Every structure is written in structure tokens, then in C-alpha cells.
């Protein structure tokens, strides 16, 4: 079965950190550009970050630049999103998704993902 599974979400205080994981099964992640996007209640979906197959190219939304870091471990078939200095406005369900590598990471929010996960809840609150 081809799927992506996110994990690592939870409740954290403002200023805290979380690391999200996106693990693939049934296919090889390094053949894809991997995206993180998020959706908060009552808000539009927002592209957060992307990383290419090699990991040499990344892209971030302005709202998370300097606070979030995307990385990948192809040996583990997993992509990570390290989130530091979290703010209440980061509260959302975070999803990972994959598109064919040639499409790249220039566009952070797409409508043509090949695979996506079920999401993991991140809540930033005191």
C-alpha cells in the first residue's frame, strides 16, 4: 500500500519546538519532492515547506522562514520538519505530500499531489 504517515504533532507552549516526521511506505521518497502544508480551522490551506529529492533545494513560506527546517533521510525513507520558536498562529493540522521530482519546490501549495498523509495536529498554546 502506497502511503505517507505523519507523526510528531502535539501540544506545545509558545516558543517551544516540535519535530514532525513523514514516513513513506510502498514507494521511495527520494523519487519525489516532499511538501508540508497546514490547515487551521476556518483558514485556507497554507504551504509551509518543500524539499527536493536530493535535499539540496528547499523552500519555505515567509511565515515560517528562520523558524522551521525541512530535511530528509532517504535511508529511512522519511522527511522531517523541525519547528522551533512556535507561535499560537502555527496551530493547525500539518500534512505531508509528494509530487514527482521534476515538478520541483518553486510552488509551495499544489493541487496535484501524488500522495498525502492523514495529518498530525500541532497545537501551540499556553
Amino acid at each position: 500500500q502506497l502511503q505517507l504517515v505523519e507523526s510528531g504533532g502535539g501540544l506545545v507552549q509558545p516558543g517551544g519546538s516540535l519535530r514532525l516526521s513523514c514516513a513513506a511506505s510502498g514507494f521511495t521518497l527520494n523519487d519525489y519532492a516532499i511538501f508540508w502544508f497546514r490547515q487551521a480551522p476556518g483558514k485556507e490551506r497554507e504551504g509551509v515547506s518543500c524539499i527536493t529529492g536530493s535535499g539540496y533545494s528547499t523552500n519555505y513560506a515567509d511565515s515560517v522562514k528562520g523558524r522551521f527546517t525541512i530535511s530528509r533521510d532517504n535511508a529511512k525513507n522519511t522527511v522531517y520538519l523541525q519547528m522551533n520558536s512556535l507561535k499560537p498562529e502555527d496551530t493547525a493540522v500539518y500534512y505531508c505530500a509528494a509530487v514527482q521530482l521534476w515538478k520541483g519546490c518553486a510552488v509551495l501549495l499544489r493541487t496535484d499531489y501524488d500522495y498525502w498523509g492523514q495529518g498530525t495536529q500541532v497545537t501551540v498554546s499556553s
Side-chain angles (χ1 to χ4, degrees), residues 7-78:
S7 61
L11 173 64
V12 64
Q13 292 186 341
S17 297
L18 283 174
R19 188 177 79 157
L20 305 184
S21 299
C22 172
S25 62
F27 66 101
T28 302
L29 268 186
N30 62 353
D31 292 336
Y32 293 84
I34 305 300
F35 294 74
W36 286 96
F37 63 91
R38 64 188 180 185
Q39 182 135 40
K43 294 186 178 180
E44 293 188 355
R45 189 173 295 178
E46 180 186 14
V48 173
S49 186
C50 174
I51 188 167
T52 55
S54 63
Y56 290 142
S57 180
T58 59
N59 194 8
Y60 297 92
D62 288 342
S63 59
V64 306
K65 206 169 289 184
R67 301 187 297 121
F68 290 11
T69 302
I70 192 170
S71 63
R72 66 193 303 158
D73 185 337
N74 287 336
K76 295 184 178 180
N77 219 22
T78 301

Side-chain angles (χ1 to χ4, degrees), residues 8-14 17-18 86 91 121-126:
L11 173 64
V12 64
Q13 292 186 341
S17 297
L18 283 174
L86 283 161
T91 296
Q121 175 71 47
V122 171
T123 303
V124 185
S125 175
S126 54

